[in-house]
Amino acid sequence: MSSILRAIKALRKRKSTAIVAIGGLGLAFIFVVVRARERKNITPPPAPLEVDVVQVRESNVRIYSEWIGTTDGMVNADIRSQVSGYLLQRNYTEGAFVHRGQLLFEIDPRPFEAVLNQARADLARAEAQVGQAVSQLEQAQAQLAQSNSGLLQAEANQRKTQLDVDKFVPLFAQKAVTRQDMDNAVQSNDASKAQLDAARSQIRASTAAVGNANASIVAAKAQVKSAQAVVNTAELNLGFTKIISPIDGIAGIAAAQVGDLVNPTSGVLTTVSTVDPIRVYFTVSEQEYLNYVKQNPTEAQRTAAQKELELQLFLADGSVYPHAGRFYIADRQVDTQTGAIRIAGVFPNPDNILRPGQYARVRAATSIQENALLVPQRAINQLQGLYRVAVVGSDNRVSIRTVTPGPTVGQMWVVQDGLKAGETVLVDGTQRVNSGTTVKPRPFTPSQDAAAQDN
């Protein structure tokens, strides 16, 4: 009996030990699972954000201004018909270069040739009339000379007969001559006086004939001049049937075709434009003009500044025109509606790349800002009218600042306020950081194109 009791006690003891062992193993398993889960939930701290940074650069920079411009020919010659007629030919290639004096159009010349021939015939008749008037003048002058000779003879005869009368009067009083002799002397003197009056009348008639002949010559010569003017007009009109280019330049598309009836009021046939050099018109605000005048108050200073001013041209595709331009003229007045003044620049165009009517941007260095603070344009972020940059401190922590930007210079932006020279700013990623963010800065390397543009 006692042995059975001992066996039962021993069995109960082993059972308790097994339960304790199993419980310990369960607790150990639970502990391991919990620790594993704790280790899984613990993540390492994130690495600092790697960002590109640059230092704020201080430099003397040229400040550029840009305007929208329009190209135009240096000279634009509108080609019109100066006479009425039918177009027979178009003698040029549309859109091609033409030379001064080159034939562009030809109008039917036959009606004008007929008018010219008639005018030349009228001129010949007028010249013949001049010859007749000259002959009449010569005859009148010969008659006048003959009348002058007869007058001299009549005067001589009258003096002789008068002497006879004067001699016979005292002799007749002394009864030295007969009455018959006295009467003959008086009659001879009266006859010589009549001849003298007739000779004087002939002189007056001959003089009048000479005057009439001279008047006829003047009238005939006037008729010749009138006929010559008609001939000249006819020759001009005939010449106008050949329409030529007055300048060297690019000829536009013809507005009239062969067979069209054209006249001086039918409009422009085509336009020839001198495009080398070529003008570029752009407008400058009144404020910009006043700033320029303040910087160059005298006429000599303005002239010198205009000679040094170099214009750049950016074409519609964004490319830079390879030839630099120069200032040409400024308009005489400011437009009262726009408050701007029209300016013209001149650009070389040796290959005729530019054509009138193109739009382009004109750029010029208008001033120099000393000790300007420069940062890349990408470093400045605009949000709700405010401009912000991310400044990286010596501890690599970011602080967001509001800045006042100025003009742009290539890929750079002039900062007027909010930064100091030598400070480090983020180039990109301003939106990804906040004040207090720790970053890993690395020097920013601009592309070659951007570096070239900044220079």
Side-chain angles (χ1 to χ4, degrees), residues 386-403:
L386 297 177
Y387 295 86
R388 304 187 306 167
V389 296
V391 180
V392 180
S394 58
D395 57 355
N396 293 340
R397 288 184 178 274
V398 174
S399 62
I400 304 298
R401 291 191 198 169
T402 301
V403 297

Side-chain angles (χ1 to χ4, degrees), residues 15 51 101 195 224 379 388:
K15 188 177 181 180
V51 294
Q195 290 176 354
V224 167
R388 304 187 306 167

Side-chain angles (χ1 to χ4, degrees), residues 115-135:
V115 172
L116 177 59
N117 292 334
Q118 180 63 46
R120 285 174 175 171
D122 293 341
L123 175 61
R125 282 195 294 270
E127 290 174 343
Q129 290 176 358
V130 171
Q132 292 176 359
V134 170
S135 297

Side-chain angles (χ1 to χ4, degrees), residues 67 117 172 235 247:
W67 309 274
N117 292 334
F172 178 74
E235 289 176 342
I247 58 174

Side-chain angles (χ1 to χ4, degrees), residues 176-411:
V177 295
T178 65
R179 176 171 292 277
Q180 183 65 39
D181 292 334
M182 181 64 187
D183 291 340
N184 290 337
V186 171
Q187 290 176 357
S188 297
N189 188 37
D190 292 339
S192 63
K193 286 181 178 179
Q195 290 176 354
L196 179 60
D197 292 338
R200 287 173 177 170
S201 297
Q202 187 64 35
I203 287 290
R204 288 192 292 270
S206 298
T207 302
V210 169
N212 292 334
N214 282 323
S216 297
I217 289 176
V218 172
K221 287 183 176 180
Q223 187 64 30
V224 167
K225 289 183 178 180
S226 177
Q228 184 65 58
V230 174
V231 169
N232 293 341
T233 301
E235 289 176 342
L236 283 175
N237 289 336
L238 179 60
F240 288 149
T241 61
K242 296 184 181 297
I243 303 174
I244 62 174
S245 174
I247 58 174
D248 294 337
I250 302 295
I253 297 175
Q257 303 301 319
V258 172
D260 288 351
L261 177 63
V262 297
N263 55 65
T265 62
S266 60
V268 177
L269 299 180
T270 189
T271 300
V272 179
S273 297
T274 300
V275 296
D276 184 23
I278 192 168
R279 292 191 193 189
V280 178
Y281 288 102
F282 56 96
T283 54
V284 175
S285 68
E286 187 175 0
Q287 184 64 41
E288 289 175 310
Y289 174 74
L290 292 176
N291 291 338
Y292 167 76
V293 172
K294 290 177 181 178
Q295 294 174 5
N296 305 277
T298 66
E299 186 67 28
Q301 290 175 325
R302 288 194 290 272
T303 301
Q306 291 166 4
K307 291 181 179 179
E308 295 178 359
L309 186 64
E310 185 177 275
L311 303 178
Q312 287 182 301
L313 197 65
F314 294 85
L315 304 180
D317 60 356
S319 62
V320 180
Y321 185 64
H323 301 287
R326 59 180 176 84
F327 172 84
Y328 184 59
I329 55 170
D331 201 354
R332 67 177 184 87
Q333 67 177 12
V334 175
D335 191 320
T336 56
Q337 296 182 349
T338 63
I341 185 170
R342 197 181 191 201
I343 305 294
V346 174
F347 288 81
N349 191 28
D351 300 322
N352 296 330
I353 295 175
L354 301 179
R355 297 295 178 97
Q358 287 182 253
Y359 285 93
R361 290 185 294 115
V362 181
R363 181 187 181 198
T366 53
S367 63
I368 295 179
Q369 183 170 340
E370 298 181 352
N371 302 323
L373 300 179
L374 300 173
V375 298
Q377 293 185 33
R378 296 158 56 184
I380 299 180
N381 179 38
Q382 183 181 5
L383 180 64
Q384 296 180 352
L386 297 177
Y387 295 86
R388 304 187 306 167
V389 296
V391 180
V392 180
S394 58
D395 57 355
N396 293 340
R397 288 184 178 274
V398 174
S399 62
I400 304 298
R401 291 191 198 169
T402 301
V403 297
T404 303
T408 58
V409 181
Q411 298 293 322

